[in-house]
Amino acid sequence: SQKIEQNSEALNIQEGKTATLTCNYTNYSPAYLQWYRQDPGRGPVFLLLIRENEKEKRKERLKVTFDTTLKQSLFHITASQPADSATYLCALEDGGFKTIFGAGTRLFVKA
Amino acid sequence: DAGVIQSPRHEVTEMGQEVTLRCKPISGHNSLFWYRQTMMRGLELLIYFNNNVPIDDSGMPEDRFSAKMPNASFSTLKIQPSEPRDSAVYFCASSEDRGYQPQHFGDGTRLSIL
């Protein structure tokens, strides 16, 4: 089955900068990959989905790339704000219905 | 729109007691998932239902765990007997049954077994 690796160390950046989070997977390329945001005491909230035949997807200040050769997805938040501080989870399909989640990377945006 | 509703939000009980967690999925969603989240293991899928039928329960840790979905608007996850190592946050999520649909999560039940 798939294994997902996300940076376990927190990412600290200054307000206004671009935050870049990395998601690496180990086995076959999934049909799709998703990114979720999780705030303390809350459930994950879906942000973006990118399919295997898409290289890039954008939504407002968010951008996701999917490189099946590198087995990697990058998640970018441009013009970051303190309100973007949260844990971001990468998730990908692991055979049919099943979605597996990475451990997440915590992002802190300082004012 | 009402999201996924879980109850209780917090549960503290003693080892050996039965624990029942409840979930109401979003109306119209016919896939339902139970997850457990811990610092050590992250978010783990326990069981998945489609149209109220359990499809894959390979993530259920052991026989002490059971889940039911008697109808499209209600599911339970039961632990009997509970043990301290079951302490975690348990999430329920639902999605539409079409390809690549995102999952909508409830806010979880924080379970502490003393």
Side-chain angles (χ1 to χ4, degrees), chain B:
Chain B
D1 286 344
V4 174
I5 300 171
Q6 291 187 246
S7 65
R9 287 297 315 275
H10 303 273
E11 174 92 12
V12 181
T13 191
E14 291 191 347
M15 174 179 173
Q17 297 298 305
E18 177 178 295
V19 172
T20 300
L21 312 181
R22 296 173 177 79
C23 174
K24 178 178 167 51
I26 292 172
S27 177
H29 285 189
N30 50 12
S31 294
L32 184 139
F33 307 83
W34 280 100
Y35 291 88
R36 177 171 69 177
Q37 187 173 42
T38 60
M39 289 291 292
M40 291 295 295
R41 300 173 68 90
L43 198 60
E44 302 174 277
L45 177 65
L46 300 177
I47 187 168
Y48 157 67
F49 291 86
N50 184 254
N51 291 322
N52 313 338
V53 176
I55 302 300
D56 186 341
D57 65 356
S58 59
M60 297 284 261
E62 47 199 274
D63 292 346
R64 297 184 298 106
F65 286 67
S66 62
K68 292 183 180 177
M69 192 163 186
N71 57 62
S73 59
F74 184 65
S75 177
T76 59
L77 178 68
K78 188 174 292 187
I79 309 173
Q80 166 64 19
S82 57
E83 296 183 4
R85 61 193 167 118
D86 302 330
S87 297
V89 181
Y90 290 80
F91 287 103
C92 175
S94 70
S95 72
E96 295 179 42
D97 187 23
R98 292 181 291 124
Y100 311 156
Q101 293 304 305
Q103 295 181 26
H104 299 259
F105 284 78
D107 280 337
T109 295
R110 181 172 294 278
L111 177 64
S112 297
I113 308 297
L114 306 176

Side-chain angles (χ1 to χ4, degrees), chain A residues 75-87:
Chain A
F75 176 80
H76 307 272
I77 306 175
T78 57
S80 59
Q81 304 165 2
D84 295 326
S85 299
T87 297

Side-chain angles (χ1 to χ4, degrees), chain A:
Chain A
S1 63
Q2 286 278 20
K3 284 196 166 82
I4 302 176
E5 294 168 359
Q6 293 188 256
N7 281 354
S8 57
E9 290 189 15
L11 179 63
N12 290 282
I13 64 166
Q14 200 65 37
E15 182 177 13
K17 300 293 186 186
T18 296
T20 298
L21 286 68
T22 304
C23 173
N24 294 298
Y25 57 92
T26 57
N27 293 340
Y28 62 87
S29 282
Y32 62 86
L33 189 147
Q34 302 178 29
W35 284 88
Y36 288 76
R37 169 185 172 138
Q38 187 173 21
D39 290 285
R42 307 298 301 271
V45 174
F46 170 76
L47 296 174
L48 278 169
L49 178 149
I50 186 165
R51 300 174 202 266
E52 61 181 332
N53 61 349
E54 297 175 319
K55 292 259 189 278
E56 181 179 298
K57 201 81 168 278
R58 291 176 187 260
K59 179 182 174 183
E60 298 171 356
R61 294 185 296 111
L62 308 181
K63 184 177 88 170
V64 171
T65 62
F66 193 3
D67 189 326
T68 55
T69 302
L70 292 179
K71 296 188 178 180
Q72 182 180 81
S73 174
L74 298 178
F75 176 80
H76 307 272
I77 306 175
T78 57
S80 59
Q81 304 165 2
D84 295 326
S85 299
T87 297
Y88 291 87
L89 306 172
C90 168
L92 48 83
E93 65 86 15
D94 187 28
F97 67 88
K98 202 168 177 177
T99 299
I100 60 171
F101 286 80
T105 298
R106 283 207 296 175
L107 172 66
F108 294 100
V109 181
K110 294 184 287 189

